[in-house]
Amino acid sequence: GGLGLDYMGGSVRTIEEGERMSLSVMATIPHIKPDSGAGVLAILRPTATDPEIVAINERLIVHLQPKSPISESYRTLRTNILFTTPERPKKVLMVTSSGPKEGKSTTVANLALTFAQMGNRTLLIDADLRKPILHDLFGLDRSIGLTNVLVGRCRLADAISVNSELPNLGVLSCGTLPPNPAELLASANMRDLLQEVKQNYAMVLIDTPPTIAVTDASILSALVDGVLLVIRSSVTEREAVVRAYE
């Protein structure tokens, strides 16, 4: 099933336009302004013997400013997802957008944090094998991750990063960027990986590339329970949204 997200603003006009395009608008998320002074967090890199202090990206606002209106809007999104089909819970969700710089990675990261904060064992997977950024948001080394697991060079358990500051959340970074992203995502190994994590996590969220330029998101959409389409109001073109939705 498809889920629609109108990103930024809270404009009634934008929500109505989304609904006229047959999208179920799940939430509106205000824009996260840069240099908001959100602060830093101690991150323990899984391969390090001693903790390293690194800057956690200020876009992880659900963790850094949990009482902010933006964080509350992400919790509203979480609630609306949970109540979309309560009789058939959506356990594996992918997040995409029609084009770049629309907020999909920010959305999937903060959404994962809201599920983890509920006490749900949550896994965040970076399947954007074109221009991944989740490792930057969480201060992780991307060299061991999803692709390494898919080609058999690493066990899944060894590739998932956990952090005591972010309880209930595991992050599987992209891994070594491959020459054949679409083929890897369409492989039997990817299907097997999703089946495995579905058994071990209450919620699995997947970041994917935008839909317009490459086929990766379309490939993954057949393997998940729901798709969240991020639309940036006053930026995303209507035609692009229609193509992405189709």
Side-chain angles (χ1 to χ4, degrees):
L3 306 174
L5 169 66
D6 174 60
Y7 189 85
M8 187 177 148
S11 165
V12 173
R13 178 186 61 82
T14 302
I15 292 174
E16 290 176 345
E17 287 177 0
E19 291 175 342
R20 284 198 297 269
M21 297 164 70
S22 300
L23 295 175
S24 299
V25 179
M26 304 298 291
T28 58
I29 311 294
H31 182 57
I32 299 175
K33 296 179 180 179
D35 303 318
S36 60
V40 297
L41 172 70
I43 296 290
L44 176 58
R45 298 179 189 267
T47 56
T49 55
D50 296 306
E52 299 179 50
I53 301 295
V54 298
I56 189 167
N57 195 288
E58 62 189 0
R59 282 184 283 178
L60 296 184
I61 197 162
V62 166
H63 179 80
L64 297 175
Q65 297 182 10
K67 296 183 179 180
S68 71
I70 300 176
S71 297
E72 183 58 34
S73 65
Y74 279 115
R75 288 190 288 271
T76 298
L77 174 60
R78 175 194 66 194
T79 300
N80 287 341
I81 289 172
L82 290 173
F83 283 95
T84 301
T85 52
E87 72 285 355
R88 290 182 294 105
K90 296 183 185 300
K91 194 171 184 179
V92 181
L93 296 179
M94 58 169 271
V95 179
T96 189
S97 58
S98 59
K101 299 186 183 301
E102 297 197 49
K104 68 176 180 60
S105 296
T106 300
T107 296
V108 74
N110 280 288
L111 187 57
L113 286 167
T114 67
F115 277 108
Q117 288 172 355
M118 280 182 67
N120 293 325
R121 195 158 185 257
T122 304
L123 179 64
L124 175 59
I125 300 176
D126 195 346
D128 186 342
L129 307 183
R130 312 284 178 163
K131 294 183 177 180
I133 69 165
L134 289 186
H135 60 283
D136 286 336
L137 297 188
F138 288 91
L140 300 172
D141 181 359
R142 80 173 191 192
S143 63
I144 298 177
L146 175 63
T147 59
N148 307 89
V149 176
L150 293 178
V151 300
R153 294 184 180 177
C154 178
R155 293 192 315 130
L156 177 61
D158 295 332
I160 295 174
S161 299
V162 296
N163 187 310
S164 60
E165 295 285 344
L166 305 173
N168 304 312
L169 180 65
V171 181
L172 180 60
S173 65
C174 58
T176 304
L177 296 187
N180 57 339
E183 288 83 357
L184 269 184
L185 296 176
S187 67
N189 287 347
M190 184 66 190
R191 291 195 298 273
D192 292 344
L193 182 148
L194 290 180
Q195 285 300 317
E196 180 179 348
V197 298
K198 196 171 183 176
Q199 301 302 316
N200 296 325
Y201 289 86
M203 178 59 67
V204 180
L205 294 164
I206 307 172
D207 192 14
T208 71
T211 62
I212 299 301
V214 294
T215 61
D216 302 21
S218 297
I219 291 169
L220 283 173
S221 68
L223 306 178
V224 302
D225 300 327
V227 178
L228 194 68
L229 177 62
V230 176
I231 301 166
R232 187 167 183 177
S233 67
S234 303
V235 174
T236 308
E237 296 181 2
R238 173 184 289 269
E239 182 181 348
V241 175
V242 171
R243 291 204 310 272
Y245 180 60
E246 290 175 347

